[in-house]
Amino acid sequence: MAILKKTLVLTCILLFVWKPLYATTEQRLQLLESQIKAGMIYNFLKYTEWPESALPPAPAPYIVCILGNNSFSDALAPLEKRTVNQHTIKIHILHNAEKAEAQECHLLFIGQDKKAEWLSLRLAVSKRSILTVSDAEEFFVKNGGMIEFRKTNNQMDVGLNMQALQSAQLQVHDRLLALVTIVHPPSSESER
Amino acid sequence: MYTNLVGNKIRTKSRNCLFLGLTTYLFLFPEYSLATSNEEPFELSLEQLFNATVISASKTEDKWWTTPASVYVVDNQDIQRSGATSIPEALRLVPGVQVARVNASGWAVSVRGFNGALANKLLVLMDGREIYDPLFSGVYWDIQDTPLEDIERIEVIRGPGASLWGANAVNGVINIITKSAADTQGGLLSGGAGNQEHGFTTGRYGVKLGENGYYRIYGKYLNHDNEKNLAGINSQDNWSAGRGGFRADWKGNDKKSSFTLQGDAYQSDSSQLRTTPLLSAPYSRTGKEEITARGGNILARWKQDLQDDARLSIQSYVDFTSREQMLVEDRRTSFDLDAQYELPVWNRHKFIIGGRYRYSADELTPSSFVSLESAERNDQTFSGFMQDQITLQPEKWLLTLGTKFEHNDYSGFELQPNARLQWHPNETQMLWTSISRAVRTPSRIERDVNVDLAAFPPSVALPVPILLQLQANSDYDSEELTAYEAGYRHKLTSDLSFDISTFYNDYSKLATNRFLPFTIVNNGVDPLHILFPIHASNDTKGESYGLETTLDWQALEVLELSVGYSLLEIALHGPEPDIAINAESAEEQSPQHQFNVRSMWDITNDLSLDTMLYYVSSLPAYQVPDYWRLDTRLGWKINRQLQFSLVAQNMLDSVHREFGAPSDVNSIEVGRSIYGKLTWRF
């Protein structure tokens, strides 16, 4: 064990000595994809304004719904212990694409394995104030979804469909808008 | 085809390890800290999230889990932690793959039996490029020496993959996939040495190429010492090899298209002992055979995502190889063009269609022991495939129907259909079953080459020597297989998963060495002798059955255990021994039982210990006794840039044999190997 400790101490010293080097080469945080997505979903709640008709006053909960495969349920779970803008948060795992259930959500995540289900849910959901999010790259925002996770070159990017947000009466904070890629789907595709 | 049939498997393990490492690091340097909570990213600002680097833990996740075939994926971490120094050594990790070291530079690798130094019922691909040699339909593993650091994963499909992958994907497909240049940015320098591995070194450097592109170059050199053969004599098989190459990847501005250009050039110098026949006393001679293999390839691939999930991919490559050795020198140029189109999902159907053209030109230079029907040969193969995945009941029942149709210059038209049915009773379980047909098309040696195999001295009964000669058979046809498979997977808990596949293979027209009428040769040039010719015919039938099973258990956050077992039973029915020789020998050339236990333990953030224990049952055909093999690796992360590992292989016995008959001068005794390796990333 003494050797282990020594090793650890040595490693720590090395880390300190090498720290300036990191500061130049390693400015970025390294995070798991699931952590980034969970963190972003939290921030989507934080930087989106729902109309009063859709979200009762605090502490009424935000209902976050998950449909389909995702890699971040575990990372998202601790969210229930938090509040955003004084609202509590509830996570619902949907097992099938029931319209009634989906219409109760404030944020609906569609896994990329549920593209077909999205196409059937889309009409029922898009006129309501439901922030829709998916990791179905190059599919979701083209097909009436609002926010799409896109991973490129080891960084997470977000595609955002303004038209879909506006018609759902959702307002996104400029701080978030400044970071995302605004997508303008062909009008025939974006709505309806 | 170059479709990846399976994706990455989840590694909760690496996640934990990375996480621990990360938190330690963040604890030391609070400016990068995840603040109050180490596990929750909710304290991070939007800007931090958008700028963060994604650590890959689940890229294409679980895709293999829903593939209705017997699939096993070895990822980069598995390879690194196995301590393997070559691709065939890394394949030992896969339950149901038979790996045996023949000598310093040679391995016998097969799936579901019929093993040999040039096992011919297995298709091996490197980034979609076929790497088996059409002269023998086998793989020369000494030239498949891509740096292991650059390999993203190896997908192994046990069982026929012919409908998608093409001829010779009879008993299995091994698909080696290298990392995208985007994932190998910066520099890497690694090197090591040991008692058997006299020295190996790899260098790689990756840079950004314009706005959307990445590029890397690499070089590698190795030197492996002579092994010892059964008599304890130096088998003069030392091996040195060098290679270099590049890979560039671009993504289109719209991220819908990607383009890859890659290439390698290599030279491998090895040697072995070879016994050649003589028609006068002492009737055979054993000498050192030098083997020089050189080659290069360049490959381009373009993928375009289209509307509604449709996708088009086109790939083309040129590959040049030359191999100089005692019996025959082989120079070959291949060209391959391959296109694949995934149609938009239509109702419940997902169609994929593809087409392929392959041109292969060779030039053989025979030795005095070999004569050829033709010294040069140009072959063309045209093939197409189509597949429809039908959703019978969403998320529950899926049926995949597909077929490959091919026309080649050896056996003409070949049809290789398959049907696969899968059922997901719930999210944690899957059952699948399949029926497929696959063929192994004739190789050049069976059709065109005559080889003097052995000479037998005169005896009292027969006062002249006998020459055994393998002759070409222009009527030799494809070997055929009908395979029936079924499998079951279960994620028992989030930490424990189980996978089993079973198969029954029905073979016909298997290669058989059939005797031809003997002749007395008195040509005035050679001494008077009797010529005993044999040739390859399709006279053997057979069945095999067996299973492969794996249990993976994430016992602790820092400890992952896995157990694998495979069973293989082969029964062949060839002609009587007076008509053919060794018709049924393949029955006993592959182990009946294989078993492995592996543990990957992170002792601390910086120290890891990996242990692999293998059991391989006997090979009666070669009088190879069963053996246990224990490999361990100790890894030490000195800092974020430097890593040291110490590997000890074959710790249980000083020597054991893995392949080859005792009479074969080239069958070596595999001894203990210890080496240290230092890796520097910058």
Side-chain angles (χ1 to χ4, degrees):
Chain A
M1 284 316 280
I3 293 174
L4 284 185
K5 267 187 189 160
K6 266 185 194 166
T7 311
L8 272 171
V9 169
L10 195 72
T11 312
C12 291
I13 292 168
L14 276 168
L15 278 169
F16 271 111
V17 171
W18 287 59
K19 188 193 148 195
L21 214 140
Y22 292 151
T24 53
T25 60
E26 203 69 41
Q27 293 269 350
R28 289 175 178 176
L29 265 179
Q30 297 211 339
L31 292 173
L32 289 166
E33 194 172 329
S34 57
Q35 290 179 303
I36 298 178
K37 285 179 174 170
M40 282 190 173
I41 283 184
Y42 172 80
N43 278 284
F44 296 159
L45 293 176
K46 195 166 167 186
Y47 293 110
T48 306
E49 250 175 69
W50 273 262
E52 281 172 22
S53 56
L55 182 66
Y62 284 115
I63 297 173
V64 174
C65 303
I66 311 273
L67 175 67
N69 271 346
N70 71 82
S71 50
F72 57 83
S73 296
D74 290 350
L76 204 60
L79 205 57
E80 287 203 318
K81 286 182 246 148
R82 294 181 165 261
T83 58
V84 188
N85 311 331
Q86 282 97 52
H87 290 273
T88 55
I89 300 166
K90 280 226 151 24
I91 296 169
H92 288 183
I93 306 289
L94 308 186
H95 293 289
N96 38 41
E98 290 259 338
K99 284 176 186 153
E101 221 178 343
Q103 285 174 341
E104 282 173 19
C105 313
H106 294 104
L107 188 152
L108 172 61
F109 177 85
I110 311 276
Q112 56 185 342
D113 56 323
K114 298 287 179 184
K115 288 178 189 168
E117 285 79 354
W118 166 247
L119 294 177
S120 68
L121 264 181
R122 181 178 149 181
L123 277 181
V125 165
S126 59
K127 290 288 183 219
R128 291 177 173 253
S129 298
I130 299 169
L131 185 67
T132 53
V133 183
S134 173
D135 54 0
E137 278 191 42
E138 305 298 340
F139 166 85
F140 194 63
V141 292
K142 275 198 307 203
N143 287 288
M146 295 173 191
I147 292 181
E148 178 179 300
F149 287 124
R150 297 164 169 189
K151 208 180 100 184
T152 39
N153 300 338
N154 296 326
Q155 242 172 301
M156 193 62 73
D157 188 17
V158 159
L160 188 138
N161 178 346
M162 275 306 272
Q163 278 168 299
L165 278 158
Q166 279 159 2
S167 62
Q169 290 178 289
L170 292 173
Q171 284 218 320
V172 175
H173 201 285
D174 287 348
R175 185 167 169 194
L176 177 56
L177 284 183
L179 294 164
V180 302
T181 309
I182 306 283
V183 185
H184 299 283
S187 51
S188 57
E189 274 192 350
S190 67
E191 273 301 48
R192 291 245 43 184
Chain B
M1 296 309 294
Y2 49 89
T3 315
N4 305 340
L5 200 56
V6 292
N8 282 351
K9 56 177 166 172
I10 285 188
R11 290 230 80 102
T12 43
K13 168 101 258 316
S14 62
R15 186 151 72 189
N16 296 331
C17 163
L18 278 165
F19 208 88
L20 278 167
L22 186 66
T23 46
T24 313
Y25 179 61
L26 293 170
F27 178 72
L28 289 167
F29 310 117
E31 63 265 39
Y32 307 123
S33 169
L34 293 172
T36 51
S37 167
N38 289 330
E39 291 191 336
E40 296 173 17
F42 310 120
E43 301 288 330
L44 296 171
S45 73
L46 263 176
E47 290 76 13
Q48 281 176 307
L49 288 168
F50 272 89
N51 283 322
T53 303
V54 181
I55 308 168
S56 61
S58 50
K59 212 183 295 169
T60 38
E61 285 160 60
D62 261 352
K63 212 172 157 198
W64 75 275
W65 187 263
T66 54
T67 302
S70 180
V71 174
Y72 193 92
V73 181
V74 179
D75 66 17
N76 183 274
Q77 199 199 351
D78 292 324
I79 298 171
Q80 298 292 331
R81 296 187 72 158
S82 73
T85 51
S86 67
I87 292 169
E89 290 289 331
L91 289 169
R92 288 184 199 271
L93 296 172
V94 187
V97 173
Q98 292 94 37
V99 178
R101 190 162 201 150
V102 180
N103 61 17
S105 61
W107 285 265
V109 178
S110 72
V111 176
R112 295 184 176 173
F114 299 91
N115 206 2
L118 288 162
N120 61 20
K121 292 176 187 56
L122 180 68
L123 182 65
V124 185
L125 300 148
M126 173 78 72
D127 286 328
R129 180 170 54 88
E130 280 186 7
I131 55 178
Y132 80 98
D133 189 291
L135 182 60
F136 295 90
S137 292
V139 175
Y140 289 112
W141 288 103
D142 58 341
I143 55 171
Q144 314 308 338
D145 192 35
T146 300
L148 298 178
E149 287 91 345
D150 288 354
I151 294 176
E152 181 178 296
R153 61 183 192 275
I154 303 176
E155 302 171 349
V156 179
I157 296 142
R158 296 162 295 206
S163 74
L164 199 55
W165 305 84
N168 304 329
V170 175
N171 279 355
V173 182
I174 293 176
N175 193 11
I176 302 157
I177 295 155
T178 63
K179 290 178 177 174
S180 159
D183 296 333
T184 53
Q185 293 291 290
L188 179 143
L189 206 57
S190 74
N195 65 328
Q196 291 289 351
E197 305 294 343
H198 270 186
F200 54 89
T201 178
T202 298
R204 176 229 285 161
Y205 198 73
V207 288
K208 220 167 175 236
L209 200 67
E211 187 71 358
N212 297 318
Y214 294 92
Y215 183 81
R216 74 160 173 260
I217 52 168
Y218 80 89
K220 178 179 179 179
Y221 175 79
L222 71 85
N223 188 333
H224 189 96
D225 191 17
N226 291 311
E227 299 278 353
K228 287 194 166 53
N229 68 16
L230 283 184
I233 297 166
N234 181 333
S235 56
Q236 300 186 40
D237 59 345
N238 74 322
W239 173 37
S240 65
R243 65 190 298 131
F246 73 97
R247 174 167 169 163
D249 292 273
W250 287 271
K251 252 195 164 169
N253 272 327
D254 55 357
K255 286 157 189 165
K256 283 183 177 176
S257 55
S258 65
F259 182 74
T260 301
L261 185 69
Q262 63 188 89
D264 309 271
Y266 56 83
Q267 174 159 346
S268 159
D269 294 294
S270 58
S271 55
Q272 60 185 23
L273 295 171
R274 185 178 286 279
T275 303
T276 45
L278 284 176
L279 284 171
S280 51
Y283 298 99
S284 75
R285 181 193 291 141
T286 297
K288 184 175 175 181
E289 175 184 21
E290 306 278 357
I291 303 168
T292 301
R294 290 190 195 94
N297 62 76
I298 189 150
L299 177 145
R301 184 188 310 121
W302 174 53
K303 288 187 182 181
Q304 178 76 46
D305 289 343
L306 306 165
Q307 291 272 315
D308 302 321
D309 260 359
R311 176 187 263 208
L312 179 70
S313 347
I314 294 171
Q315 173 179 287
S316 184
Y317 64 83
V318 179
D319 187 306
F320 170 76
T321 63
S322 92
R323 193 172 186 90
E324 294 162 16
Q325 60 185 86
M326 193 189 275
L327 283 188
V328 63
E329 289 181 20
D330 176 14
R331 297 162 68 81
R332 177 176 305 277
T333 308
S334 313
F335 168 77
D336 192 293
L337 176 67
D338 193 311
Q340 182 180 317
Y341 179 47
E342 292 174 46
L343 278 73
V345 177
W346 174 71
N347 277 338
R348 296 183 156 200
H349 298 269
K350 182 155 180 57
F351 282 101
I352 307 177
I353 55 171
R356 181 173 176 190
Y357 171 74
R358 185 181 168 84
Y359 174 79
S360 179
D362 70 8
E363 194 187 315
L364 303 182
T365 312
S367 64
S368 58
F369 310 102
V370 170
S371 64
L372 303 168
E373 301 296 308
S374 59
E376 291 177 21
R377 185 167 173 146
N378 304 331
D379 290 313
Q380 299 187 87
T381 308
F382 298 89
S383 65
F385 86 94
M386 53 174 99
Q387 179 180 298
D388 181 14
Q389 190 184 62
I390 308 159
T391 306
L392 301 175
Q393 189 192 349
E395 286 170 59
K396 292 282 179 202
W397 291 90
L398 284 167
L399 176 66
T400 308
L401 300 174
T403 189
K404 181 117 187 168
F405 34 93
E406 168 178 313
H407 186 277
N408 69 72
D409 289 346
Y410 286 102
S411 61
F413 188 75
E414 301 281 4
L415 190 69
Q416 303 181 85
N418 88 25
R420 293 177 185 272
L421 181 68
Q422 65 197 89
W423 177 43
H424 302 260
N426 54 44
E427 278 176 8
T428 61
Q429 291 179 72
M430 172 184 163
L431 280 127
W432 62 272
T433 183
S434 76
I435 174 166
S436 14
R437 178 180 190 270
V439 300
R440 200 276 293 179
T441 53
S443 65
R444 175 107 145 91
I445 197 163
E446 288 154 333
R447 281 290 183 89
D448 294 334
V449 182
N450 309 305
V451 189
D452 293 343
L453 293 177
F456 301 96
S459 60
V460 182
L462 203 63
V464 288
I466 298 170
L467 179 67
L468 185 67
Q469 187 184 60
L470 177 67
Q471 293 192 343
N473 178 5
S474 57
D475 293 328
Y476 179 75
D477 203 1
S478 294
E479 299 179 302
E480 298 179 358
L481 163 69
T482 307
Y484 307 86
E485 296 175 275
Y488 172 63
R489 293 184 188 124
H490 193 171
K491 279 181 187 160
L492 297 145
T493 70
S494 59
D495 299 327
L496 188 66
S497 63
F498 172 73
D499 177 27
I500 186 166
S501 325
T502 60
F503 64 92
Y504 178 84
N505 284 350
D506 188 359
Y507 296 95
S508 58
K509 294 165 69 181
L510 286 172
T512 311
N513 289 321
R514 204 180 172 95
F515 289 119
L516 298 172
F518 66 88
T519 49
I520 296 164
V521 181
N522 188 8
N523 56 12
V525 182
D526 299 315
L528 177 71
H529 66 276
I530 295 173
L531 178 69
F532 229 121
I534 56 173
H535 74 188
S537 65
N538 298 92
D539 292 323
T540 302
K541 284 181 177 178
E543 312 86 49
S544 70
Y545 64 84
L547 63 86
E548 294 103 15
T549 180
T550 317
L551 186 71
D552 277 311
W553 182 31
Q554 186 75 46
L556 297 168
E557 274 202 0
V558 294
L559 180 66
E560 182 180 346
L561 299 170
S562 75
V563 181
Y565 168 73
S566 63
L567 168 76
L568 173 67
E569 196 76 63
I570 305 180
L572 300 178
H573 318 290
E576 294 302 309
D578 56 339
I579 298 173
I581 55 167
N582 297 335
E584 291 162 8
S585 61
E587 281 179 355
E588 297 178 332
Q589 286 171 1
S590 306
Q592 198 178 354
H593 305 279
Q594 281 182 286
F595 172 73
N596 73 61
V597 187
R598 182 157 61 116
S599 86
M600 296 202 283
W601 178 27
D602 294 315
I603 307 169
T604 69
N605 294 332
D606 305 315
L607 219 50
S608 58
L609 181 68
D610 307 304
T611 310
M612 281 103 349
L613 177 69
Y614 304 94
Y615 170 77
V616 179
S617 70
S618 63
L619 307 182
Y622 299 131
Q623 298 161 45
V624 172
D626 63 337
Y627 61 88
W628 291 86
R629 179 187 163 112
L630 181 71
D631 296 354
T632 63
R633 171 186 178 273
L634 183 71
W636 178 34
K637 246 182 252 166
I638 302 168
N639 61 35
R640 278 181 68 122
Q641 284 151 319
L642 273 178
Q643 194 177 2
F644 178 72
S645 59
L646 186 68
V647 176
Q649 296 167 320
N650 300 305
M651 290 171 74
L652 292 180
D653 45 14
S654 57
V655 286
H656 70 256
R657 202 149 50 88
E658 297 190 348
F659 207 75
S663 58
D664 182 345
V665 288
N666 275 312
S667 64
I668 57 135
E669 296 263 32
V670 179
R672 281 198 187 106
S673 165
I674 294 171
Y675 73 84
K677 179 183 173 185
L678 194 64
T679 306
W680 178 39
R681 286 168 210 273
F682 54 97

